[in-house]
C-alpha cells in the first residue's frame, strides 16, 4: 500500500493542532501533527500503544508525570492506558505519531 501526501486530508483539532492521517491498516496507524508554540495536547490515556517522533521543533513531553523536553530527532514511547501529553515549545513543530492498533476514533 502506498499513501501520497496529495491524497491525505488535514483536520484541525479543538486545540488548534493540525492532524493528517498518513495511512493505516487494522493494527497500525501513522499520523502527522503540526503544532504552534503553546498548543497543548492535554494529558490523556488510550488503549493504543504509541510512538511519537519529533520531525521538527520541540515539545515538553509528559509521560505519566515524567516531563522531558523533546527536540527534532527525539522520540517517546507510551504503553497502552498510560497518561501522557505534550506542549509545543516552538511554532511549526511537527510530530509523527505511530499507533498500534489503529485509532478507529480518528477515522
Amino acid at each position: 500500500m502506498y499513501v501520497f501526501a496529495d491524497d491525505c486530508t488535514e483536520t484541525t483539532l479543538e486545540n488548534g493542532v493540525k492532524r493528517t492521517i498518513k495511512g493505516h491498516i487494522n493494527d497500525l496507524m501513522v499520523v502527522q501533527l503540526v503544532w504552534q508554540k503553546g498548543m497543548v495536547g492535554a494529558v490523556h490515556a488510550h488503549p493504543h500503544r504509541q510512538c511519537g517522533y519529533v520531525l521538527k521543533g520541540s515539545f515538553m513531553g509528559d509521560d505519566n508525570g515524567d516531563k522531558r523536553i523533546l527536540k527534532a530527532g527525539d522520540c517517546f514511547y507510551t504503553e497502552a492506558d498510560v497518561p501522557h501529553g505534550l506542549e509545543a515549545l516552538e511554532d511549526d513543530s511537527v510530530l509523527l505519531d505511530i499507533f498500534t492498533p489503529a485509532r478507529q476514533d480518528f477515522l
Side-chain angles (χ1 to χ4, degrees):
M1 173 167 79
Y2 296 97
V3 178
F4 299 98
D6 290 343
D7 296 331
C8 298
T9 303
E10 183 179 86
T11 302
T12 301
L13 306 178
E14 290 178 8
N15 62 358
V17 172
K18 297 190 182 297
R19 176 175 70 200
T20 305
I21 296 171
K22 293 299 198 172
H24 64 91
I25 54 178
N26 288 339
D27 61 351
L28 188 65
M29 175 180 269
V30 177
V31 179
Q32 177 179 293
L33 300 138
V34 179
W35 305 59
Q36 302 307 314
K37 184 177 181 177
M39 288 181 172
V40 174
V43 173
H44 64 286
H46 45 73
H48 314 84
R49 289 170 294 173
Q50 177 179 354
C51 172
Y53 179 78
V54 180
L55 293 170
K56 179 181 175 189
S58 60
F59 296 88
M60 174 60 71
D62 182 341
D63 186 45
N64 203 23
D66 181 10
K67 295 184 179 184
R68 307 276 178 108
I69 292 176
L70 301 163
K71 58 186 184 337
D74 294 340
C75 62
F76 68 88
Y77 294 87
T78 302
E79 290 290 339
D81 302 315
V82 173
H84 61 283
L86 288 173
E87 179 179 350
L89 301 178
E90 300 177 50
D91 282 339
D92 300 316
S93 290
V94 181
L95 184 72
L96 191 67
D97 271 340
I98 299 148
F99 297 99
T100 184
R103 296 281 308 252
Q104 296 299 318
D105 56 324
F106 286 5
L107 299 175

